[in-house]
């Protein structure tokens, strides 16, 4: 009998019979997305791999059940839509929006346990595992919470679909662009000018019917999350009777995290078997051989649109690590999409012990990544951010500068720090400049 591959960062459920019961129920629930939608995303990703479209992927580090409200979902879709319009305008090509949303619930953690008020408790792994509040036995994994995870993900998917079908994409309404927080900053005039030109372009196209309400309403939006909690991913994986292929139908695309990428391990073994487009996070420890092995396992047919390599090297390691990764990928011949996650390699702790990221380091990782690609004759096809549509205070810097002292004011994330609305819009303007160059 073949050995079962090692599964890293999984949850040890004390009641395994209860887990099996829950998984049986989950397997009977309808999927959250449809195989045809996954295939449609792959077709769009072919255009991305050929440099004819660009990816904007973003959302929370970890979604909480309490984020499943109309307002929070709206804010997140709105920021992604607005950023995508800025990027489309700058790059003169379609931008594919992929949310870290409607199922981005499970987290790998560097420490399995943490000490809170003198008690040793499991580190928070996500709302479908246990409660964040560490009191009592709240952090004991409870498999019934997976069912709540399903319903929260389903409600989020449903609301996103309803908003889009209902014509939420009302981007030409100037009120929807709330940049007042940037007023008075040195960058303000420049950004205002970009927005005015975009609004002008939209109304010009509308004036001769090139862009009517219908086509504005007809935007596409895809969902994604890290494929981490394998019992969940497997329960949501179904065989498509039409093609015989297996699909993860909890999201359109899922990615392999940087901590679970062992070639002989369970996550790679699972992802190998599904037909969804896959992301692979590529950290500074990834060797050329490791990347080549992953590409052979996960994309043996070298299919355009199958693999998005999401580099997250850290601003100061892009020059030393990226050239070799570009070289080995070219040698392997996989037609990959190159995306850049400028967040996860740039996390630092404040003196007070809060996790944060500086706007400067995030922007620098993007600039260095564009630069190294240019020298190598390659292109950046997308970006991957942790961001939110709310004015949180989690990352420092930006045009309306936040300092470390501001972080306590509205630090909401239960995991990594996100760009807030203003920082995200500014990042889109600056990224737009990089794309134009
Ligand atoms: C994440 O995207 O939230 C994450 C954990 O990233 P990485 O695997 O790249 O560290
Ligand atoms: Co994160």
């Amino acid at each position: 009998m073949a050995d079962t591959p090692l599964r890293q960062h999984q949850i040890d459920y004390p009641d395994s019979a209860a887990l099996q019961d829950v998984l049986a129920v989950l397997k009977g629930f309808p999927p959250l997305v449809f195989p045809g939608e996954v295939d449609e995303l792959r077709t769009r990703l072919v255009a991305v791999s050929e440099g004819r479209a660009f990816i904007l992927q973003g959302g929370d580090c970890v979604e909480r059940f309490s984020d499943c409200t109309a307002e929070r979902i709206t804010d997140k879709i709105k920021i992604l839509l607005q950023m995508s319009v800025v990027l489309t305008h700058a790059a003169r090509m379609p931008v594919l929006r992929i949310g870290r949303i409607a199922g981005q619930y499970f987290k790998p953690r560097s420490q399995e346990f943490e000490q809170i008020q003198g008690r040793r408790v499991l580190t928070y792994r996500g709302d479908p595992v246990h409660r964040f509040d560490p009191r009592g036995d709240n952090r004991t994994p409870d498999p019934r919470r997976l069912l709540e995870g399903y319903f929260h993900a389903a409600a989020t998917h449903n609301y996103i679909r309803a908003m889009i079908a209902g014509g939420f994409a009302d981007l030409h309404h100037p009120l929807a662009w709330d940049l007042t927080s940037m007023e008075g900053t040195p960058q303000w005039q420049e950004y205002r000018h970009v927005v005015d030109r975009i609004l002008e372009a939209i109304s010009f196209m509308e004036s001769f019917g090139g862009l009517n309400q219908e086509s504005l309403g007809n935007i596409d939006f895809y969902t994604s999350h890290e494929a981490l909690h394998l019992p969940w991913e497997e329960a949501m994986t179904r065989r498509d009777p039409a093609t015989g292929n297996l699909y993860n139908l909890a999201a359109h695309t899922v990615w392999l995290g940087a901590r679970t990428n062992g070639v002989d391990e369970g996550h790679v073994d699972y992802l190998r078997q599904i037909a969804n487009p896959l992301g692979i996070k590529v950290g500074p420890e990834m060797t050329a051989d490791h990347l080549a092995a992953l590409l052979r396992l996960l994309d043996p047919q070298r299919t355009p649109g199958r693999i998005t390599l999401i580099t997250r090297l850290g601003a100061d390691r892009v020059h030393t690590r990226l050239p070799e990764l570009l070289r080995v990928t070219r040698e392997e011949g996989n037609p990959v999409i190159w995306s850049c996650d400028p967040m996860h390699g740039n996390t630092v702790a404040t003196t007070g012990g809060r996790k944060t990221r500086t706007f400067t380091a995030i922007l620098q990782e993007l600039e260095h990544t564009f630069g190294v690609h240019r020298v190598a004759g390659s292109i950046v096809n997308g970006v991957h951010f942790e961001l939110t549509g709310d004015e949180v205070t989690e990352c420092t810097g930006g045009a309306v500068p936040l300092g470390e002292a501001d972080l306590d004011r509205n630090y909401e994330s239960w995991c990594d720090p996100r760009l807030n609305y203003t920082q995200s819009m500014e990042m889109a303007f600056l990224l737009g400049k990089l794309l134009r160059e």
Side-chain angles (χ1 to χ4, degrees):
M1 207 174 81
D3 287 340
T4 314
L6 177 70
R7 297 177 150 210
Q8 307 263 22
H9 290 275
Q10 298 304 286
I11 305 298
D12 204 358
Y13 288 94
D15 187 347
S16 58
L19 173 66
Q20 292 313 318
D21 289 348
V22 163
L23 295 176
V25 174
L26 274 178
K27 285 177 190 162
F29 282 153
L32 302 176
V33 306
F34 203 67
E37 294 177 296
V38 176
D39 292 341
E40 180 194 273
L41 170 60
R42 216 210 341 262
T43 307
R44 309 241 161 152
L45 289 171
V46 173
V48 175
S49 74
E50 293 167 354
R52 292 185 286 113
F54 190 80
I55 297 173
L56 171 64
Q57 186 169 14
D60 295 324
C61 179
V62 63
E63 258 180 301
R64 307 164 302 184
F65 289 169
S66 58
D67 293 316
C68 185
T69 69
E71 198 177 25
R72 282 179 182 268
I73 298 168
T74 305
D75 286 350
K76 232 163 275 164
I77 303 303
K78 186 171 133 183
I79 181 70
L80 287 169
L81 281 177
Q82 291 184 353
M83 290 173 79
S84 74
V85 172
V86 172
L87 299 180
T88 302
H89 187 254
R92 308 277 165 200
M93 60 169 87
V95 173
L96 219 64
R97 308 159 194 96
I98 306 177
R100 290 175 60 114
I101 198 167
Q104 173 50 25
Y105 288 134
F106 301 96
K107 298 311 295 177
R109 303 306 299 261
S110 37
Q111 302 296 328
E112 192 167 0
F113 293 94
E114 62 184 332
Q115 211 56 37
I116 298 183
Q117 285 154 10
R119 290 174 60 234
R120 180 172 171 270
V121 293
L122 258 188
T123 319
Y124 175 71
R125 302 303 161 78
D127 275 1
V129 175
H130 49 198
R131 286 176 202 278
F132 184 71
D133 176 346
R135 285 175 297 185
D137 61 359
N138 278 353
R139 287 279 176 95
T140 304
D142 175 359
R144 283 165 308 182
R145 293 182 67 89
L146 289 170
L147 298 175
E148 284 185 62
Y150 173 88
F151 288 115
H152 283 85
T156 307
H157 265 105
N158 180 60
Y159 193 64
I160 294 170
R161 290 182 191 285
M163 279 166 79
I164 290 170
F168 169 77
D170 193 9
L171 296 163
H172 55 323
H173 197 299
L175 279 183
W177 295 79
D178 186 8
L179 296 172
T180 45
S181 61
M182 286 191 204
E183 247 173 280
T185 65
Q187 294 89 338
W188 167 246
Q189 288 302 337
E190 188 190 335
Y191 298 158
R192 185 71 247 171
H193 185 64
V194 175
V195 172
D196 287 344
R197 294 225 325 261
I198 292 172
L199 296 175
E200 237 170 65
I202 293 176
S203 73
F204 172 69
M205 284 159 82
E206 278 179 321
S207 71
F208 65 91
L211 192 65
N212 55 27
Q213 194 54 47
E214 229 162 278
S215 63
L216 268 177
N218 190 18
I219 59 150
D220 45 52
F221 188 92
Y222 297 96
T223 59
S224 69
H225 61 255
E226 176 177 349
L228 182 70
H229 191 39
L230 292 173
W232 165 270
E233 305 302 342
E234 286 163 346
M236 294 305 294
T237 299
R238 315 289 164 84
R239 198 170 292 281
D240 174 29
T243 58
N245 292 331
L246 284 175
Y247 286 84
N248 181 323
L249 297 177
H252 298 106
T253 174
V254 291
W255 73 85
L256 177 67
R259 303 178 209 205
T260 50
N261 60 14
V263 290
D264 300 324
E265 294 175 5
H267 289 80
V268 171
D269 187 53
Y270 165 73
L271 292 172
R272 218 165 43 75
Q273 302 174 52
I274 60 170
N276 303 63
L278 304 176
I280 303 177
K281 290 289 200 89
V282 179
E285 303 80 17
M286 173 92 60
T287 62
D289 285 350
H290 187 178
L291 181 55
L294 287 174
L295 291 172
R296 287 176 196 180
L297 280 168
L298 295 174
D299 184 27
Q301 309 296 328
R302 302 194 180 99
T303 309
R306 164 72 167 170
I307 300 286
T308 299
L309 295 179
I310 309 165
T311 57
R312 30 87 80 227
L313 301 166
D316 52 7
R317 279 172 293 193
V318 174
H319 286 114
T320 50
R321 297 299 308 129
L322 187 55
E324 187 189 12
L325 300 167
L326 292 174
R327 177 187 53 76
V328 72
T329 304
R330 186 172 294 149
E331 284 166 10
E332 288 297 311
N334 300 76
V336 304
I337 290 165
W338 288 99
S339 178
C340 174
D341 162 1
M343 310 300 289
H344 285 89
N346 297 304
T347 315
V348 290
T350 64
T351 38
R354 276 211 185 278
K355 270 206 242 181
T356 191
R357 292 162 173 155
T358 70
F359 190 90
T360 311
I362 296 166
L363 180 62
Q364 257 174 14
E365 176 146 0
L366 289 173
E367 287 169 348
H368 293 343
T369 301
F370 273 79
V372 169
H373 273 274
R374 197 179 306 126
V375 169
S378 163
I379 56 169
V380 182
N381 309 106
V383 285
H384 182 123
F385 290 111
E386 285 184 342
L387 54 76
T388 174
D390 306 315
E391 285 300 350
V392 298
T393 56
E394 298 171 6
C395 292
T396 58
V400 185
L402 290 178
E404 287 195 2
D406 296 305
L407 296 185
D408 283 337
R409 204 168 63 233
N410 194 22
Y411 196 107
E412 268 208 7
S413 176
W414 286 354
C415 200
D416 292 338
R418 302 160 296 174
L419 294 170
N420 63 25
Y421 177 82
T422 308
Q423 290 168 330
S424 300
M425 282 311 287
E426 182 175 17
M427 198 56 81
F429 292 127
L430 295 168
L431 182 58
K433 280 200 212 174
L434 279 174
L435 283 169
R436 254 196 314 271
E437 275 164 14

